[in-house]
Amino acid sequence: MTVSAGWQTTLYENRTLASAITAAVSGMLVGYPFDSLKTRMQTHYYPSLLACARRSIAEEGVRGLYRGLVPPLLTASAAKSLSFSVFEQIKLWLRHHDPYKNGGSVLGMPNFQRTTVGSVALTAAASGSVSGAVIAALCCPLELVKVQMQLANLMAKGTNVVTAASKATGQTTSLGGNSLTAETHIRSQRPAPPRWTGSNFSVLQEIVRQRGAFGMYYGLHLHIVRDASGTAIYFASYETVKETLRRLTGSDTTGVLTHMLAGGTCGVVSWLLIFPIDLVKSTMQSQVLKPKNAQKYASSWHCLRDIYARLGMSGLYRGVSVSLIRAFPIHGLNFVVYEWARAAICRIAGRPE
């Protein structure tokens, strides 16, 4: 076997990894500023997405929206490739170990043979939930650091942003309840972020110093619930829409438009359903470095009840506009790049997909 042939074989055997890495990097570079705005709007009140963007850029510049990018950028490729790999492996395992692969079912539910749209959806949901749980357990410390970096400047000044209740008085309010007039805040000298926000590693060190090694997994239960359910919905939505469109067109293959529509749809649907969990997770993780007597919430349940009592259901979707605006194009792009890279690798290797 020649070097070229050996390289092609290796690439083909790892096509899921390579395709996922390509999609992850491109999606992260395009979508990270929106993720940063989402975190800010979840943990602190802004009148609108535009107000949040303007305020953030005015105070921190565009670079501020990329604070904390390095860890997720470096790890996104690993996490995404692992996520897709676990997803594909679980799909194969379910198909091979399906007790009803030769016919029959339990309570009329579809089997895992992917011969019907229902079977495709069930297989994708089961595989996605396992994939999501695995990724959440591995990436919780990185997500925790990312949240601290994204909110560093806001936490440094008590985050004085205009609330709906204080518009008439000119007051501003932070998550911790501190307030002052917007005019006074704008004229005051901008406080520097804590020294531990100088780098992602210093944030991690500070978390370990204050909370111990287990502090790196602060909010893990919420992370697992969010990612297990969210990834199940994500992959099930994608494969269901993709398979439905394929059947409607009567084609054996799918193209860019199908991948964009299916990817965009799964992104929007998954965020709509799991956003309240994500909001509680971000809110709880934002207080990991606060002294216990300064923490607003003692538990995730306390956080959920308080937000709902004060703001109603709309409060649980604070910041959802950012996620929905970015969801369709970013996730559509994610699957377009993934499917394109996977098909390109198969063509280079001269092997079937």
Side-chain angles (χ1 to χ4, degrees), residues 283-299:
T283 302
M284 291 299 297
Q285 288 186 327
S286 71
Q287 62 180 22
V288 66
L289 290 177
K290 290 183 179 180
K292 285 197 172 182
N293 59 2
Q295 292 179 7
K296 187 172 183 178
Y297 301 113
S299 68

Side-chain angles (χ1 to χ4, degrees), residues 37 40 51-65:
L37 291 174
R40 293 161 189 253
C52 178
R54 284 177 172 172
R55 187 72 170 265
S56 299
I57 293 174
E59 295 183 351
E60 303 175 45
V62 175
R63 289 183 61 184
L65 298 181

Side-chain angles (χ1 to χ4, degrees), residues 169-226:
T169 62
Q171 287 186 322
T172 59
T173 305
S174 71
L175 184 65
N178 300 323
S179 64
L180 70 166
T181 64
E183 182 179 359
T184 300
H185 166 65
I186 293 172
R187 290 179 180 177
S188 65
Q189 184 178 2
R190 185 189 309 167
R195 283 183 297 178
W196 47 259
T197 62
S199 70
N200 295 286
F201 184 67
S202 62
V203 172
L204 188 61
Q205 282 183 311
E206 185 65 16
I207 292 173
V208 173
R209 187 184 72 80
Q210 290 193 26
R211 295 270 184 171
F214 287 109
M216 296 187 295
Y217 288 89
Y218 187 85
L220 174 63
H221 62 297
L222 290 169
H223 204 156
I224 290 178
V225 171
R226 184 199 70 174

